[in-house]
Amino acid sequence: MGYEFDFSFIWDFWPDLAWGALETVLLSGASIILGFVAGAGLAVAKVHGSRTVSTLANIYVEAIRNTPLVVQAFWLFFGLAAMGLRMPAFYAAIVTLVINVSAYTAEIIRAGMESIPKGQFEAADCLALSRRQVLFHVELPQAVERVYPALISQSVLMMLASSIMSQISVEELTGAAYGIQSITFRGFEIYIVVAVIYLLLSVLMRFAMEGIAQLAFTRRRRLGTPL
Amino acid sequence: MGSSVTIAHYILMLQGMLWTIGLSLMGFVGGTIVGLPIAIGRISQSKALRRSLGLYIALIQGIPLPILMFLCYFGISVAGFNVPALVAAGMAMTAYASAYLAEIWRGSLQSVPKAQWEAAECLALTRLQRMVHVILPQAVKISIPPTIGFLVQIVKNTSYAVVIGFAELTYTARLINNSTFKPFVVFTVAAVLYFAICFPLSHFSRRLERKLKRA
């Protein structure tokens, strides 16, 4: 094998990689937060909505979960352009990711809502809580806490999937790598480096989300025991 | 502006769909060949083996699939071979599927009740016999719904081969969009074709799961 590895060029391009990594973090962070809110809303629609509402939510979730993210991104990005709407690629990417991840989050949170013991609702009734209070103080918090590990995995998967947004010209980590590759022709080396950065990002992300759980879930903070 | 989408375009997209199915099969077959030994190795008695296989899985699961595609694509050419994008895409799908299938199957193997192992041991079966005649048949039954569910992921994720220019459905759709500039038509058709493959699979997987739960 006559190939000589050469990683020296990385130092010339580290600002591009750093910006790319930052953009990946911003892209995923925004999409996770917005996707969580939308997903929780969808889950409530599925569980408590009228027949029409829950059917519509089901159709949305099935349509999104059974088509690829890339096709969704192309549909939205090129479709908006064809309609004459100019949206910067970064925002189009966030919209696509939110649409995508909300469907998965909805399924996860719905599973959490269905696993809450009946006694919790009876107790809430005895405390004369309104339906709204039950939803926001009993049902959703417990559902989210129960399925939090699944939400972490889902978020990491979404961060990794955001790499495909380079295809609609977002300059995130993979987009930056592609740019460097086309200048240096050192494709193999640059993608090894980027793979390592993604690995680090996914470890950091798990760590950060565990930290958020410590802050967000009172039981964990006060008693140190997960639900 | 742009020309209309013709029958020829739809035929091209159907061809792309065949490549998507072909690549999915490559990913599933390759992922099974690599992933099944890994799943069994993950419950072996050797700690070193368990750890190193766990590392492989964490590595593959922590790298985005498009990056895996690029690594295979450039890696093969670095190794001095000139092969079509299909081979690179097939390798990347194999690596990807093997890591996830191994985890699914490890879970299935471990969910066979421990008493089954003990009973098999009491019957003086060797470890291999226990595995082949007692544990695997039971684990297979548990593993079918999540495996079919993962097939959906495989089919959808073959679309990432678009980054290395492999002419599956998504890539074909983008080419057609570039020449006709009818994104809503083209990508809606592509989405419908994906849905036509994926929805029956996920529906079937859910039904099997419910059936298994009742049994």
Side-chain angles (χ1 to χ4, degrees):
Chain A
M1 194 168 119
Y3 191 84
E4 275 175 35
F5 283 90
D6 178 11
F7 285 97
S8 56
F9 68 92
I10 292 296
W11 306 117
D12 299 331
F13 289 99
W14 74 264
D16 300 65
L17 288 174
W19 277 114
L22 184 67
E23 199 145 313
T24 290
V25 170
L26 289 177
L27 193 62
S28 340
S31 309
I32 289 167
I33 293 167
L34 295 173
F36 175 75
V37 175
L42 274 171
V44 173
K46 277 180 81 136
V47 177
H48 294 299
S50 66
R51 222 189 147 93
T52 328
V53 170
S54 73
T55 308
L56 285 177
N58 268 326
I59 291 174
Y60 174 84
V61 169
E62 290 304 322
I64 297 299
R65 276 163 48 106
N66 288 299
T67 50
L69 176 65
V70 201
V71 174
Q72 291 160 11
F74 285 166
W75 193 87
L76 196 88
F77 185 68
F78 294 123
L80 286 179
M83 287 197 315
L85 265 173
R86 292 239 160 264
M87 190 189 234
F90 184 74
Y91 295 104
I94 291 184
V95 173
T96 313
L97 285 172
V98 170
I99 289 174
N100 183 272
V101 83
S102 63
Y104 291 89
T105 309
E107 273 301 285
I108 295 173
I109 295 181
R110 182 196 55 79
M113 286 166 82
E114 282 170 0
S115 73
I116 297 172
K118 230 173 151 190
Q120 291 290 324
F121 297 109
E122 290 163 1
D125 267 346
C126 292
L127 293 170
L129 297 184
S130 68
R131 279 185 65 181
R132 211 190 141 88
Q133 285 172 320
V134 174
L135 182 63
F136 285 105
H137 297 289
V138 181
E139 199 170 6
L140 278 179
Q142 290 193 29
V144 172
E145 189 166 349
R146 274 167 193 276
V147 296
Y148 199 72
L151 287 176
I152 295 182
S153 304
Q154 178 56 45
S155 302
V156 171
L157 280 179
M158 199 223 64
M159 190 268 288
L160 298 178
S162 76
S163 64
I164 202 62
M165 293 307 165
S166 58
Q167 289 293 308
I168 57 167
S169 70
V170 181
E171 278 293 304
E172 41 68 82
L173 195 46
T174 307
Y178 194 77
I180 298 170
Q181 187 269 130
S182 60
I183 296 171
T184 60
F185 293 106
R186 292 253 164 216
F188 197 46
E189 285 94 332
I190 187 68
Y191 287 113
I192 290 176
V193 172
V194 166
V196 172
I197 299 178
Y198 271 111
L199 276 171
L200 285 176
L201 283 180
S202 44
V203 172
L204 281 177
M205 197 162 155
R206 275 183 191 280
F207 199 68
M209 287 190 74
E210 294 285 351
I212 292 172
Q214 285 298 330
L215 292 176
F217 303 132
T218 340
R219 187 195 324 265
R220 238 179 255 199
R221 189 171 67 238
R222 300 226 178 104
L223 301 175
T225 52
L227 189 72
Chain B
M1 48 186 202
S3 50
S4 59
V5 185
T6 61
I7 297 289
H9 288 134
Y10 290 119
I11 291 174
L12 260 181
M13 281 174 86
L14 284 176
Q15 274 172 3
M17 185 181 170
L18 287 183
W19 280 115
T20 290
I21 295 173
L23 185 56
S24 308
L25 287 179
M26 280 176 76
F28 182 64
V29 173
T32 304
I33 294 170
V34 182
L36 189 58
I38 294 180
I40 294 171
R42 285 277 283 159
I43 57 165
S44 90
Q45 283 156 332
S46 148
K47 199 171 176 179
L49 183 64
R50 284 203 310 266
R51 282 260 174 90
S52 45
L53 291 175
L55 193 69
Y56 167 82
I57 291 170
L59 212 63
I60 298 288
Q61 293 191 345
I63 299 174
L65 186 52
I67 301 288
L68 281 181
M69 296 265 178
F70 279 129
L71 282 176
C72 290
Y73 189 64
F74 289 108
I76 294 174
S77 62
V78 158
F81 299 103
N82 197 0
V83 292
L86 173 66
V87 178
M91 278 174 61
M93 288 307 295
T94 297
Y96 163 81
S98 71
Y100 282 89
L101 286 174
E103 276 302 89
I104 292 173
W105 291 337
R106 177 188 59 84
S108 312
L109 286 170
Q110 283 176 336
S111 62
V112 175
K114 211 157 183 190
Q116 296 287 331
W117 284 98
E118 291 160 0
E121 204 172 349
C122 292
L123 293 171
L125 299 180
T126 65
R127 199 171 155 80
L128 186 70
Q129 285 174 323
R130 270 178 266 164
M131 197 60 167
V132 174
H133 295 297
V134 180
I135 304 303
L136 270 180
Q138 299 186 61
V140 164
K141 203 175 153 198
I142 303 170
S143 72
I144 287 174
T147 305
I148 295 177
F150 184 69
L151 271 178
V152 177
Q153 302 296 323
I154 293 184
V155 173
K156 281 192 303 177
N157 286 342
T158 55
S159 64
Y160 289 147
V162 74
V163 298
I164 55 172
F166 174 62
E168 38 68 61
L169 182 49
T170 307
Y171 188 80
T172 314
R174 195 169 65 170
L175 279 187
I176 295 172
N177 175 54
N178 287 346
S179 63
T180 60
F181 209 56
K182 294 271 188 301
F184 283 127
V185 179
V186 173
F187 292 118
T188 303
V189 171
V192 167
L193 291 178
Y194 275 111
F195 189 84
I197 311 174
C198 294
F199 183 70
L201 287 174
S202 33
H203 187 71
F204 187 47
S205 151
R206 256 187 315 235
R207 258 192 35 204
L208 282 179
E209 196 170 340
R210 245 174 272 152
K211 215 165 152 188
L212 202 67
K213 232 178 234 171
R214 270 202 308 270

